Amino acid sequence: MSSEMIVVCGGGGFIGGHLVADLRRQGFKNLRSVDIKPLGEWYQKFDDVDNLQLDLQKREACEKALRGARVVYNLAADMGGMGFIENNRALCMLSVLINTHLLMAAKEYGVERFFYASSACVYNADKQRDPNVTALKEADAYPAMPEDGYGWEKLFSERMCRHFREDFGVRTRVARFHNVYGPNGTYDGGREKAPAAVCRKVIQAKQSGKLEIEIWGDGHQTRSFMYIDDCLKGVEAIQNSEILEPINLGSSELVSINQLVDIVEDIAGVKLKRSYNLKAPKGVNGRNSDNTLIRKYLNWEPEVKLRDGMEKTYRWIHDQIASGKKQH
């Protein structure tokens, strides 16, 4: 097992915390985890990891984070679900400072491998107007018309990774995440995404005896959701691959938000009266991942069935709520 230092930026977050846990499981010893949140608010924290609380929008913080690093995973961003993204566009854009300063530090310190977590929000909105969406191919990001704020920042940062690779030799790899979900993540407070939000709403409806649920949008909008275990497998495979261009990392199992609620109701053993908030943020009408390219390169694609992943996610959120734990 290599002793080279691996740094996970955003390690106190949902995906980053799982990535640190997975690297530890594989036997990597020289790990550093960096996040802006106070250590007590990290989703997962390990005493045998070098845990640093730093604001990676600042250049000096990025230099401190990457000193001695050989491999870097940049999962750090100020983000959340559609409610957060649509109402905090400037904050989302400022994440460009994180990737910019990390790339500058990576170049300065001769980092060997640099992974950047992009998003399906980079895709052209015109190709996502129909719930019966044609799955998005990597080429569909151009001509550019991404999600305002968050999507533009991701697309710009993808290009920066490309040019640091071409001009300075920093070995960058980029994956476009499609809706990652699972245990040990946000399920309350405004930054949660649809799978966790639906789990929380169903659990609270069942607990209160008020068997109703509010759904954002008309419920017909479609998405694909990738379970965290698939995400980790993909991230590490892409980091260690020869894939130069940004690549989709998502499930191709398309589901409407109504169908997602059906699944969670079935897990919970309950049926709820539905009301639809048409004024709430709902994002694009349809989005799915075309996995032709990742199958070609890796002979693999995300494979955990939505029902199976949602069952694990529901159980974890249920236990958190039942134990009276509050999210920060």
Side-chain angles (χ1 to χ4, degrees):
M1 188 61 69
S2 169
S3 62
E4 63 190 9
M5 181 184 284
I6 302 174
V7 179
V8 177
C9 300
F14 164 50
I15 301 173
H18 278 285
L19 179 58
V20 173
D22 195 54
L23 292 166
R24 281 178 77 253
R25 266 195 301 273
Q26 292 177 53
F28 289 101
K29 303 283 188 220
N30 198 359
L31 299 173
R32 178 179 293 154
S33 184
V34 186
D35 205 280
I36 193 171
K37 293 189 286 294
L39 293 173
E41 295 180 15
W42 290 23
Y43 292 119
Q44 298 187 65
K45 182 167 70 71
F46 305 95
D47 292 339
D48 57 353
V49 172
D50 181 20
N51 299 307
L52 301 179
Q53 184 193 353
L54 295 169
D55 180 358
L56 293 173
Q57 290 190 8
K58 298 183 166 62
R59 184 173 177 179
E60 315 74 56
C62 290
E63 289 171 353
K64 185 175 179 182
L66 265 51
R67 202 162 284 130
R70 281 289 149 269
V71 177
V72 175
Y73 293 90
N74 178 17
L75 304 164
D78 199 354
M79 60 86 67
M82 279 317 305
F84 181 82
I85 288 172
E86 288 198 6
N87 294 312
N88 296 277
R89 293 190 173 114
L91 285 181
C92 289
M93 291 295 283
L94 283 171
S95 292
V96 76
L97 295 171
I98 299 172
N99 198 56
T100 303
H101 291 141
L102 282 174
L103 281 170
M104 290 165 75
K107 171 179 174 268
E108 186 180 334
Y109 294 138
V111 164
E112 287 172 10
R113 280 173 285 153
F114 184 100
F115 175 87
Y116 176 65
S118 185
S119 164
C121 288
V122 301
Y123 284 115
N124 189 314
D126 276 348
K127 295 180 184 280
Q128 303 173 77
R129 295 196 184 280
D130 188 341
N132 302 309
V133 67
T134 302
L136 293 159
K137 300 189 297 293
E138 283 76 4
D140 290 333
Y142 296 94
M145 194 165 74
E147 186 83 47
D148 204 5
Y150 181 71
W152 277 108
E153 187 277 323
K154 289 294 187 189
L155 197 61
F156 177 86
S157 293
E158 284 187 5
R159 299 299 282 196
M160 187 167 274
C161 286
R162 171 181 171 173
H163 297 312
F164 265 70
R165 177 173 55 78
E166 292 172 342
D167 295 1
F168 304 132
V170 179
R171 188 178 178 277
T172 57
R173 297 291 180 264
V174 175
R176 291 173 180 160
F177 290 178
H178 288 248
N179 292 310
V180 188
Y181 72 98
N184 289 296
T186 307
Y187 59 86
D188 206 352
R191 290 178 185 255
E192 66 276 14
K193 296 189 174 183
V198 171
C199 286
R200 186 198 77 241
K201 288 178 178 181
V202 171
I203 291 162
Q204 289 173 338
K206 198 174 170 185
Q207 282 183 342
S208 70
K210 193 179 176 192
L211 300 180
E212 298 174 4
I213 185 170
E214 181 188 85
I215 294 170
W216 286 9
D218 60 13
H220 297 303
Q221 66 269 35
T222 53
R223 295 290 185 277
S224 69
F225 298 101
M226 169 173 52
Y227 190 62
I228 184 66
D229 291 4
D230 277 336
C231 180
L232 299 177
K233 192 170 179 181
V235 164
E236 293 173 58
I238 291 163
Q239 173 77 299
N240 295 303
S241 75
E242 295 307 313
I243 303 169
L244 298 183
E245 69 265 47
I247 189 163
N248 278 333
L249 182 53
S251 167
S252 58
E253 185 184 351
L254 190 70
V255 64
S256 72
I257 298 302
N258 276 329
Q259 289 169 323
L260 180 66
V261 176
D262 289 342
I263 288 170
V264 179
E265 283 180 338
D266 190 48
I267 292 166
V270 72
K271 284 302 281 182
L272 304 178
K273 181 171 181 249
R274 302 180 187 187
S275 63
Y276 295 91
N277 183 348
L278 302 182
K279 293 184 176 165
K282 70 178 188 73
V284 295
N285 287 327
R287 177 183 292 155
N288 195 14
S289 180
D290 183 318
N291 288 343
T292 307
L293 213 52
I294 196 167
R295 284 198 304 268
K296 180 181 136 191
Y297 281 124
L298 301 179
N299 195 28
W300 173 85
E301 65 178 306
E303 55 203 2
V304 176
K305 290 279 171 255
L306 182 60
R307 165 71 199 227
D308 298 338
M310 286 301 290
E311 193 141 355
K312 292 175 183 170
T313 307
Y314 179 91
R315 302 281 172 235
W316 181 81
I317 295 173
H318 181 276
D319 290 348
Q320 295 296 299
I321 292 174
S323 68
K325 286 186 183 164
K326 285 270 182 277
Q327 288 222 301
H328 299 289

